[in-house]
Amino acid sequence: MSSTQDSWNTGNDTTNAGGENEPLLIGFDFGTSYTAVMSNRGHQQVFRSVVGYPKDMIGVKLLGEPYVVGDAAFEKRSFVDLRSPLKDGVLREYVERDMEVARDFVDHTINAIAKEGDEVAVIVGVPARASNTNKDLMVQVFEDFVDTVQVISEPFLVAYGRGSLVNSLVIDIGAGTVDICALKGAMPGQKSQITINKAGNFIDEQIEALIMQAHPEVQMNIHMAQAIKEKHGFVGTAAEPAMAELRVEGKPAQFDITREVSAACEMIVPGIIEGVEKLIQTCSPEDQATMLNNIFLAGGGSRIGGLDKMIAERLVSFGDVQVSRVSDPTYAVASGALKLAQELPPQYWDQLGSVTDN
């Protein structure tokens, strides 16, 4: 693969204006907690990655349909059984129930974008070290609803969207995984990517456990912990105390949870540092300094306050290090996927990954 997006050498004009008669191209960031989609017709949307099914006959009557998706499912969680299609960013191998949930979710999502008669082509982001079986299962899910589908490493798509395919390093912090990828001017191979299975969901679990340990009288659940992380998440020194309204015996009370939030968020940092150190050593010595000055954080976890500064400080022994956040963590993967879909015609997608850096 070329190190620039503008020279695919397909012999065709790859510009796609996204007109009504053109194929519908979709960048699809299929996430463990949230899914972001963007199309060449200007549609962009975030869905909660969950499908709700009626728990019993009362639920069937209340719901009025076989299942409900996204925020609508979450809001009805008192009478629907919530199912997440993905675990740690991938479909679990040989779990047919997960496949059914994923099909229902993808069907709903594509129908929210596509019109009847559309030719639909989708590029889907997957974790950096997703197995070939994981990728094949993802393709099988989408093949029922689209005409063309390709799955690509999520951190690569972030880099593609930024135009940073040479001597840069992407740390994509999602709900299920942290994916780290060293970009060397070609499609990254297995040795240039690392997936860590302690990410946003792990932080939520730790926040819940630490708060319950410090304040056993409060009523807590994982959804509350996630909301606390999204509002207060930080590492390092707190700019101000993290205060949360929690309930004790049904009554609201204010608690200072600064220490618990900080401790939980910092638990993912050692794995990130170890992953970066390993990947830097796979690069040519003359390129390592440049790469260390081009580290980008993406994914929902990149919003954790102070994380960029802490990562740079922990890597100080490697010399000058610059860590920054992508401008729009919500759509970074979907935007890169859409850009790739627009610049490389779908008939060439099966060649993606045929040339790797190792």
Side-chain angles (χ1 to χ4, degrees):
M1 177 179 291
S2 168
S3 62
T4 173
Q5 299 98 307
D6 299 322
S7 52
W8 287 101
N9 195 29
T10 61
N12 295 324
D13 178 5
T14 63
T15 301
N16 189 326
E20 291 297 321
N21 295 325
E22 299 287 348
L24 175 63
L25 305 177
I26 301 174
F28 203 108
D29 179 11
F30 201 168
T32 302
S33 290
Y34 293 95
T35 292
V37 296
M38 298 183 71
S39 84
N40 59 329
R41 296 179 188 167
H43 185 102
Q44 63 180 56
Q45 189 172 355
V46 174
F47 299 84
R48 190 183 289 267
S49 300
V50 68
V51 182
Y53 300 92
K55 292 181 178 179
D56 52 29
M57 292 306 298
I58 300 299
V60 171
K61 180 176 177 60
L62 289 172
L63 199 61
E65 51 190 323
Y67 60 86
V68 63
V69 172
D71 286 338
F74 188 75
E75 291 165 2
K76 296 177 174 63
R77 61 189 181 277
S78 63
F79 61 90
V80 301
D81 180 19
L82 294 180
R83 299 273 185 166
S84 298
L86 306 183
K87 181 176 176 57
D88 296 334
V90 297
L91 288 160
R92 288 180 292 181
E93 298 178 17
Y94 314 119
V95 180
E96 183 57 34
R97 180 56 172 162
D98 285 359
M99 293 288 285
E100 293 174 5
V101 175
R103 289 188 185 100
D104 288 340
F105 181 83
V106 170
D107 186 18
H108 173 90
T109 306
I110 297 298
N111 281 330
I113 306 171
K115 298 178 180 179
E116 186 175 354
D118 276 339
E119 179 185 345
V120 182
V122 179
I123 289 182
V124 186
V126 295
R129 295 295 295 270
S131 69
N132 289 332
T133 300
N134 295 145
K135 295 175 183 178
D136 290 343
L137 290 174
M138 190 69 76
V139 168
Q140 290 175 31
V141 167
F142 277 83
E143 280 180 337
D144 291 338
F145 311 105
V146 305
D147 299 283
T148 307
V149 60
Q150 180 60 277
V151 295
I152 302 290
S153 162
E154 290 167 346
F156 172 82
L157 292 174
V158 172
Y160 192 93
R162 290 181 51 87
S164 304
L165 293 178
V166 182
N167 292 336
S168 66
L169 193 144
V170 174
I171 304 171
D172 184 19
I173 308 169
T177 62
V178 176
D179 294 306
I180 309 175
C181 180
L183 282 305
K184 307 173 185 177
M187 186 69 76
Q190 290 293 300
K191 293 182 180 179
S192 295
Q193 304 183 87
I194 289 175
T195 292
I196 303 166
N197 292 325
K198 288 184 178 180
N201 288 348
F202 173 78
I203 293 174
D204 299 342
E205 293 166 0
Q206 298 308 309
I207 288 176
E208 180 182 16
L210 290 172
I211 290 176
M212 289 299 298
Q213 181 180 342
H215 308 286
E217 72 277 17
V218 304
Q219 296 173 281
M220 276 288 295
N221 61 39
I222 198 67
H223 304 304
M224 295 169 63
Q226 181 181 11
I228 287 171
K229 177 195 67 183
E230 291 175 354
K231 182 177 181 180
H232 298 291
F234 79 99
V235 295
T237 303
E240 58 185 21
M243 303 298 297
E245 183 179 281
L246 305 173
R247 289 188 174 266
V248 179
E249 297 180 347
K251 301 174 184 178
Q254 289 289 323
F255 290 87
D256 184 340
I257 55 171
T258 309
R259 183 179 301 176
E260 290 76 23
V261 171
S262 173
C265 291
E266 288 190 19
M267 287 182 185
I268 68 169
V269 174
I272 292 174
I273 300 303
E274 182 180 353
V276 171
E277 291 176 345
K278 287 182 178 179
L279 289 185
I280 288 296
Q281 295 175 53
T282 70
C283 305
S284 299
E286 63 269 26
D287 296 329
Q288 291 177 7
T290 302
M291 185 166 288
L292 285 164
N293 275 275
N294 289 282
I295 299 177
F296 303 103
L297 301 183
S302 68
R303 294 189 176 93
I304 293 173
L307 187 59
D308 51 347
K309 181 179 179 181
M310 179 170 282
I311 291 173
E313 290 174 347
R314 296 283 180 90
L315 293 169
V316 67
S317 62
F318 285 80
D320 186 30
V321 178
Q322 298 293 324
V323 182
S324 60
R325 294 181 176 87
V326 298
S327 59
D328 187 355
T330 300
Y331 287 103
V333 172
S335 177
L338 177 60
K339 185 176 183 180
L340 178 57
Q342 290 176 301
E343 295 181 346
L344 183 67
Q347 62 264 34
Y348 293 96
W349 289 4
D350 60 356
Q351 298 177 25
L352 288 170
S354 58
V355 178
T356 64
D357 60 10
N358 53 56

